Amino acid sequence: MAPLTVSLASRYPLRAIYIVYAILAVASRFPFWLIYYIPRSLRQHQQWSYKQAILIQLFKTATPYAVALRLAPPMSLDPLVEKAQWATVKPSPTTTYTDILQDPDIRPQTIGGTWYPDNPQR
């Protein structure tokens, strides 16, 4: 398997320069969108509100920069607002994983999830 490549934009000091570039690139287009999406006929979908059209365009433009910077929200296995519905699942014993599932670089981890409507274990 090929090793994962790390974007130069996700490492300092180039990361700081790229963040400034990304902010300026998105901010410089924003005034144009504010004017461009006033007529409904120019919006991505004519039934969308003005706010939806602007926010969708903002999201579409900012996402590639966030990916290049490897921005990700911090992950935690602690229950937040889901308290009663939150559950964690521990991985199976290592003897369960055979053949193609045996990879030295990939190891099973504990994962968390939210049950809806109720947690059956409680």
Side-chain angles (χ1 to χ4, degrees):
M1 183 185 302
L4 293 174
T5 58
V6 177
S7 166
L8 286 177
S10 67
R11 304 178 103 184
Y12 285 101
L14 292 178
R15 180 183 175 101
I17 295 168
Y18 192 75
I19 288 172
V20 171
Y21 166 75
I23 291 170
L24 291 175
V26 173
S28 67
R29 296 174 189 168
F30 195 70
F32 171 75
W33 299 331
L34 292 175
I35 296 168
Y36 183 79
Y37 289 122
I38 290 174
R40 284 194 176 271
S41 60
L42 295 177
R43 296 178 190 168
Q44 300 92 328
H45 295 282
Q46 290 184 6
Q47 68 271 23
W48 283 2
S49 70
Y50 178 71
K51 181 180 177 180
Q52 277 180 305
I54 298 293
L55 290 177
I56 291 295
Q57 189 61 48
L58 181 65
F59 181 77
K60 284 174 55 177
T61 306
T63 299
Y65 297 114
V67 170
L69 290 168
R70 296 182 154 224
L71 297 178
M75 302 297 275
S76 170
L77 291 177
D78 298 329
L80 298 175
V81 295
E82 306 97 353
K83 291 183 187 3
Q85 296 165 307
W86 182 256
T88 56
V89 179
K90 297 196 183 318
S92 298
T94 53
T95 56
T96 307
Y97 306 103
T98 60
D99 296 329
I100 151 174
L101 297 177
Q102 290 179 326
D103 190 317
D105 297 327
I106 301 172
R107 291 285 162 231
Q109 299 290 320
T110 301
I111 60 170
T114 306
W115 285 93
Y116 285 105
D118 293 316
N119 186 341
Q121 297 174 354
R122 295 182 194 245

